[in-house]
Amino acid sequence: TLATQKSTLLKEQIKETSSKLDALKKAQKEADNAIKNGTEISADKYRALEREISDTEAKIKTLKSELNTQLNFATTVDILFST
């Protein structure tokens, strides 16, 4: 069904976005370690990385909310048409 397809797509998007977030957080840890070891890192680049992490976390939250809504809708439709 269309609802199942949309749920599957949302799950894939959540997985991909979560992988991106993991990579961003890894990059942030590497940057933090570099700073601790005395390497100069542009404040603008570091802030951009922080913004991207924040944006990616927000996107995951939005996708999870959409998936929740989609699953609730699918459940409601199943109940309505099974009676």
Side-chain angles (χ1 to χ4, degrees), residues 22-37 39 41 46 49:
D22 290 342
L24 289 168
K25 286 186 175 185
K26 182 179 178 186
Q28 185 180 37
K29 282 183 182 180
E30 290 172 2
D32 289 341
N33 287 334
I35 291 168
K36 285 179 188 174
N37 292 328
T39 303
I41 294 182
Y46 193 83
L49 177 60

Side-chain angles (χ1 to χ4, degrees), residues 4-63:
T4 303
Q5 290 173 344
K6 184 164 184 171
S7 294
T8 300
L9 179 61
L10 286 167
K11 288 176 187 176
E12 288 173 11
Q13 288 177 321
I14 291 168
K15 184 178 177 181
E16 290 170 10
T17 308
S18 294
S19 293
K20 177 183 176 182
L21 180 60
D22 290 342
L24 289 168
K25 286 186 175 185
K26 182 179 178 186
Q28 185 180 37
K29 282 183 182 180
E30 290 172 2
D32 289 341
N33 287 334
I35 291 168
K36 285 179 188 174
N37 292 328
T39 303
E40 294 256 345
I41 294 182
S42 160
D44 288 341
K45 287 185 180 183
Y46 193 83
R47 280 194 299 274
L49 177 60
E50 288 180 320
R51 267 193 310 276
E52 192 165 356
I53 288 171
S54 179
D55 291 349
T56 303
E57 288 172 336
K59 183 171 184 172
I60 290 170
K61 187 176 180 180
T62 299
L63 289 169

